[in-house]
Amino acid sequence: MGLSEGSGPRDTQALLPATQAMELQRRDYHVERPLLNQKQLEELGHWSSAPRTHQWRSWFQCSRARAHALLFQHLPVLAWLPRYRVRDWLLGDLLSGLSVAIMQLPQGLAYALLAGLPPVFGLYSSFYPVFIYFLFGTSRHISVGTFAVMSVMVGSVTESLAPDDDFSQALNATVNEAARDAARVQLASTLSVLVGLFQVGLGLVHFGFVVTYLSEPLVRGYTTAASIQVFVSQLKYVFGLHLRSRSRPLSLIYTVLEVCWNLPHSVVGTIITAAVAGVVLVGVKLLNDKLQRHLPIPLPGELLTLIGATAISYGVDLKQKFKVDVVGTIPAGLVPPVAPSPELFVKLVGNAFTIAVVGFAIAISLGKIFALRHGYRVDSNQELVALGLSNFIGGIFQCFPISCSMSRSLVQESAGGNTQVAGAVSALFILIIIVKLGELFQDLPKAVLAATIIVNLKGMLMQFKDICSLWKANRVDLLIWLVTFVATILLNLDLGLAVAVVFSLLLVVVRTQLPHYSVLGQVPDTDVYRDMAEYSEAKEVPGVKIFRSSATVYFANAELYSDALKHRCGVDVDHLISRRKKLLRKQEQNLKRLQKEKQPQKQVASFKDTSFSIHVNTSLGDTEVNNVEDSKVKEVSTEDEQDGTVASGQEGAKAPDVFTLKALGLPQPDFHSLILDLSALSFVDTVCIKSLKNIFRDFREIEVEVYMAACHTPVVTQLEAGHFFDASITKQHLFATIHDAVTFALQHPGSSSIGPVLVS
């Protein structure tokens, strides 16, 4: 079979020996072109500004296709459910949903305690939001519902705005739990509605990118600190203590101290119950890890522990005999919807925004992990809308804010879940428990729920390993992790997150203020320029300095850029300019003094038009001015005075030679051209433009011509808009590549004229 006619040079090269193919490639890719500055490049490429795209115009276009697209975008279930593969996916989704529901039941009861609410509201929060997300979510594998971090954030709000002290009865100093729980439920449900409004609003305005400001080290440090908060909050249930509710900064420290102070008052039966439940849960998890390959689904350790603990508590009567706190009354059936309290919005708005951002950050990070693993796309803006609707509608039905659980999501994926049908199955299972089976868990000890929470914190507590890995990989990220962790521990979850975000953004600013500055040299026999401190073979081009910054130049680092440039060039530019101006001032003063002493008043004008030879004694620092034309001045006729204008123009042309650094006796730089590599610039502001103009002015005063290279087109447009280019700085000072600028500088040392130069 022969070669087709479409076979090009590549097919030919494939048949040649390696050395001949390489030689052919050299000939094919050898380029010889004229030197290109920015002006010539625009003319050669027929540059014109990119047309503006008015995307907002498409928002008002009406068509059936657009209506279908919007419907499928905002109600994704209509897109994937008709294509649901029943034979392939249904069995896996059923088993996965059942497994998740088995975990959801104990976690829902336990996390409601974290939120400071009766346990049944954890079941409500495991049903309504899950079913709403089934309709509007785009992730197929995450399990939304109650989550420890979100629950403890809600608990900090409910305990601060509805503390036990506000409901203590004056007669016997006991707490009216019914009134307290009702107030806290109202707070939590209103908070959920407000969180939902924030998330839906941010999603509709395409504000999903807000999560990018929460880097992975920040989120992991935050969740690790939250796990410590969760652990400490459960100590009162483990030891059977009644502690004061705190939500102010340093509340975690005070809570630990109070627990230690009240340890002698611990209930022995509660401690034993929590310890036995914890041991059983850990044992079942270890067994699941060992038998992972042989079990189709993990053993439901939490559910088995809850059933066994409830049966033992009911049979032994732990509450009466051993004073073990139990869950108490769990009403059967669903509660009617309740309107939120708008008067609470002002008190909850700050916490609601924080919870909305944290909940979305956790959900979208897990959703993207599973999407990459299984090859589909998660829409961050639609995820905001889905979570927002879940929280909004859930809040109307007295749920507290929810997010995504890492442990349940992993179970949903590993058990064979393929779509959010698994989430719908788990929601239906929770519905059955709420309607019929919930009251069976009234004798469940709270210590068992606390043990369940603590054991499930293992995954987040293991994130302490990040300290070692980040120490080796990136210590700046380690600093973010540590600051986030410490701030969250000391200042609580809301203020801790705010401090972490502000610190992370400030660190970005600081890192742009301290970029890597380098002087570039040419790699031999190439047009490649690299940092001479890193590449030993890179050599500086004689007479040319090439300077590069690794970050864009803007108001925060423009002055640092100029200082670093002058320092790296090896010339004290400011001192040299100052000495030059000082000598020129002395010369001018001496000139005026000699004019007054030796010339009559009527001949001052003609005296100014004479030429002077200037001798600079650098050792004494004094300037001696000798009037070599003194005898000629006396012979100047009236006709010469009339031609003074012409003479002045001729002498003005000679003035630059008189006032050069060499003529003034000042040291000259060892380079005649400076090239600024602007390839790192992504934008410029007015401060950057002024700084670049000052660089041109200062280096020209010390007889060094400045050029710019490798500037991106949007930056060039911004330079034009900022009136950077003028009569002294034109686009002829801006070159397409560093090599173009170097070639031109070598051909025209100290000049800005354009000549025909070839670059090969």
Side-chain angles (χ1 to χ4, degrees):
M1 185 175 182
L3 293 174
S4 63
E5 294 180 358
S7 301
R10 293 184 179 179
D11 295 329
T12 305
Q13 293 177 15
L15 300 176
L16 296 174
T19 55
Q20 296 182 12
M22 291 177 62
E23 183 62 28
L24 182 59
Q25 288 180 357
R26 289 195 187 98
R27 292 200 300 269
D28 288 345
Y29 290 99
H30 177 74
V31 176
E32 185 173 299
R33 61 173 176 81
L35 180 149
L36 294 176
N37 56 38
Q38 183 66 28
K39 182 179 179 181
Q40 294 169 336
L41 180 62
E42 292 176 0
E43 294 175 353
L44 181 64
H46 299 285
W47 175 85
S48 62
S49 58
R52 293 185 178 181
T53 57
H54 300 285
Q55 189 176 3
W56 57 270
R57 292 180 178 176
S58 62
W59 299 347
F60 303 100
Q61 295 177 356
C62 297
S63 65
R64 176 172 297 187
R66 177 163 174 75
H68 278 272
L70 288 175
L71 183 62
F72 290 156
Q73 178 183 353
H74 295 292
L75 198 61
V77 67
L78 298 179
W80 62 264
L81 191 59
R83 298 196 297 268
Y84 186 81
R85 293 184 285 181
V86 178
R87 292 185 178 181
D88 299 333
W89 292 348
L90 183 59
L91 180 60
D93 284 339
L94 289 175
L95 294 176
S96 176
L98 182 61
S99 302
V100 171
I102 291 172
M103 291 185 65
Q104 188 92 276
L105 171 62
Q107 289 184 3
L109 296 172
Y111 294 159
L113 296 180
L114 284 178
L117 307 175
V120 69
F121 290 93
L123 297 180
Y124 300 153
S125 301
S126 302
F127 167 64
Y128 292 105
V130 176
F131 189 73
I132 298 301
Y133 185 83
F134 163 76
L135 299 175
F136 295 95
T138 59
S139 175
R140 304 176 188 174
H141 294 89
I142 65 172
S143 173
V144 298
T146 56
F147 182 51
V149 175
M150 299 287 289
S151 300
V152 76
M153 294 179 74
V154 174
S156 66
V157 176
T158 56
E159 291 180 1
S160 63
L161 298 180
D164 293 341
D165 296 339
D166 292 351
F167 302 94
S168 60
Q169 299 174 349
L171 296 177
N172 52 8
T174 58
V175 177
N176 187 350
E177 294 185 357
R180 180 200 64 186
D181 292 344
R184 290 183 175 180
V185 167
Q186 187 181 32
L187 281 171
S189 60
T190 304
L191 180 64
S192 182
V193 169
L194 197 54
V195 168
L197 289 175
F198 272 124
Q199 290 177 333
V200 171
L202 293 176
L204 292 178
V205 298
H206 291 245
F207 208 67
F209 68 89
V210 69
V211 74
T212 58
Y213 293 102
L214 302 178
S215 63
E216 183 179 359
L218 188 149
V219 173
R220 292 178 69 86
Y222 184 78
T223 53
T224 305
S227 67
I228 301 296
Q229 295 266 12
V230 171
F231 177 81
V232 172
S233 68
Q234 296 306 294
L235 293 179
K236 61 182 180 181
Y237 298 112
V238 171
F239 295 103
L241 303 174
H242 296 279
L243 307 178
R244 296 175 57 188
S245 58
R246 295 182 176 87
S247 59
R248 295 180 179 180
L250 299 180
S251 61
L252 183 70
I253 308 299
Y254 291 131
T255 302
V256 172
L257 294 176
E258 188 177 1
V259 169
C260 296
W261 183 262
N262 289 287
L263 279 180
H265 305 289
S266 301
V267 179
V268 177
T270 302
I271 297 175
I272 295 175
T273 302
V276 172
V279 170
V280 172
L281 288 170
V282 171
V284 173
K285 287 185 177 295
L286 293 176
L287 187 62
N288 281 330
D289 292 339
K290 289 187 177 181
L291 302 179
Q292 183 178 5
R293 298 180 180 179
H294 306 286
L295 295 176
I297 59 175
L299 295 175
E302 288 88 352
L303 181 62
L304 294 177
T305 304
L306 259 63
I307 295 174
T310 303
I312 294 173
S313 175
Y314 177 78
V316 181
D317 196 6
L318 294 178
K319 181 178 181 181
Q320 298 298 330
K321 293 183 178 180
F322 300 99
K323 299 180 180 179
V324 176
D325 287 340
V326 296
V327 170
T329 303
I330 298 179
L334 299 173
V335 294
V338 178
S341 302
E343 62 271 11
L344 295 176
F345 282 0
V346 177
K347 298 180 181 179
L348 299 174
V349 61
N351 294 289
F353 184 79
T354 302
I355 293 174
V357 173
V358 172
F360 171 64
I362 294 170
I364 194 63
S365 58
L366 282 176
K368 288 186 175 181
I369 290 174
F370 290 119
L372 289 174
R373 187 179 299 175
H374 294 276
Y376 63 93
R377 182 178 176 272
V378 172
D379 187 347
S380 58
N381 294 308
Q382 180 59 27
E383 284 296 293
L384 260 176
V385 174
L387 285 175
L389 290 174
S390 299
N391 281 311
F392 178 79
I393 297 176
I396 295 176
F397 288 93
Q398 300 190 23
C399 301
F400 56 87
I402 56 89
S403 184
C404 167
S405 170
M406 182 183 299
S407 58
R408 294 198 308 269
S409 299
L410 292 173
V411 169
Q412 180 169 325
E413 182 204 28
S414 61
N418 297 288
T419 64
Q420 273 298 332
V421 170
V425 170
S426 67
L428 292 176
F429 187 79
I430 295 297
L431 176 62
I432 295 173
I433 294 175
I434 293 173
V435 174
K436 294 294 183 182
L437 304 179
E439 57 188 10
L440 298 178
F441 294 96
Q442 293 181 0
D443 292 309
L444 175 65
K446 291 183 179 179
V448 175
L449 294 178
T452 303
I453 292 173
I454 292 174
V455 171
N456 283 322
L457 291 177
K458 175 190 174 183
M460 288 192 287
L461 292 175
M462 292 294 289
Q463 292 177 159
F464 276 109
K465 293 182 178 179
D466 293 349
I467 297 176
C468 297
S469 60
L470 291 176
W471 175 265
K472 299 176 182 178
N474 192 318
R475 296 184 184 180
V476 175
D477 285 345
L478 174 62
L479 184 61
I480 295 175
W481 196 101
L482 292 175
V483 170
T484 303
F485 178 82
V486 174
T488 306
I489 290 292
L490 297 180
L491 303 177
N492 282 350
L493 295 170
D494 48 359
L495 293 178
L497 179 63
V499 171
V501 172
V502 171
F503 177 79
S504 181
L505 295 178
L506 286 177
L507 201 58
V508 172
V509 175
V510 171
R511 294 176 78 176
T512 59
Q513 284 185 308
L514 302 174
H516 177 68
Y517 298 112
S518 55
V519 175
L520 307 185
Q522 184 181 25
V523 179
D525 300 327
T526 69
D527 60 350
V528 178
Y529 297 84
R530 292 293 181 265
D531 188 356
M532 293 191 299
E534 299 175 354
Y535 291 79
S536 59
E537 289 298 320
K539 303 300 180 183
E540 185 173 359
V541 179
V544 179
K545 288 281 186 181
I546 310 171
F547 183 75
R548 172 187 290 170
S549 170
S550 62
T552 191
V553 182
Y554 67 115
F555 67 92
N557 63 0
E559 185 176 357
L560 298 175
Y561 178 85
S562 299
D563 294 341
L565 169 62
K566 295 174 182 178
H567 175 71
R568 292 297 184 92
C569 286
V571 179
D572 194 341
V573 179
D574 296 331
H575 180 65
L576 191 58
I577 293 174
S578 176
R579 290 183 61 189
R580 180 177 181 273
K581 290 181 177 179
K582 183 178 180 181
L583 291 175
L584 290 177
R585 282 197 302 269
K586 285 186 177 182
Q587 175 181 319
E588 184 179 359
Q589 292 173 0
N590 291 336
L591 178 62
K592 291 181 179 179
R593 178 173 54 83
L594 291 175
Q595 287 174 348
K596 291 180 180 180
E597 292 177 354
K598 298 184 178 181
Q599 297 299 328
Q601 188 67 26
K602 61 181 181 180
Q603 294 181 350
V604 171
S606 105
F607 185 85
K608 291 182 179 179
D609 293 334
T610 60
S611 61
F612 293 86
S613 65
I614 302 170
H615 174 69
V616 181
N617 189 345
T618 56
S619 61
L620 299 178
D622 296 327
T623 305
E624 299 177 0
V625 182
N626 298 321
N627 188 354
V628 298
E629 302 289 342
D630 189 34
S631 60
K632 296 182 180 180
V633 171
K634 297 179 180 179
E635 300 174 359
V636 174
S637 63
T638 305
E639 296 178 358
D640 292 332
E641 291 180 2
Q642 295 175 354
D643 296 334
T645 304
V646 179
S648 175
Q650 294 174 352
E651 298 299 333
K654 298 179 181 179
D657 295 333
V658 176
F659 299 136
T660 60
L661 295 177
K662 183 177 181 181
L664 294 174
L666 295 176
Q668 293 178 279
D670 59 353
F671 57 97
H672 54 74
S673 299
L674 171 65
I675 298 173
L676 304 178
D677 178 10
L678 302 183
S679 58
L681 265 65
S682 56
F683 69 94
V684 293
D685 57 5
T686 55
V687 178
C688 174
I689 292 175
K690 291 180 180 178
S691 178
L692 291 176
K693 282 191 172 183
N694 290 337
I695 290 172
F696 270 83
R697 181 200 62 199
D698 292 346
F699 278 89
R700 282 175 173 175
E701 286 200 34
I702 63 170
E703 302 171 8
V704 174
E705 187 59 43
V706 183
Y707 305 101
M708 301 178 296
C711 197
H712 300 296
T713 302
V715 177
V716 177
T717 304
Q718 293 174 6
L719 290 173
E720 288 181 323
H723 304 290
F724 174 74
F725 299 108
D726 53 22
S728 61
I729 306 174
T730 66
K731 287 186 178 180
Q732 295 177 349
H733 293 89
L734 178 57
F735 291 86
T737 66
I738 299 177
H739 193 60
D740 285 353
V742 171
T743 305
F744 178 81
L746 293 177
Q747 294 288 336
H748 305 83
S751 172
S752 59
S753 61
I754 301 301
V757 180
L758 291 180
V759 178
S760 60

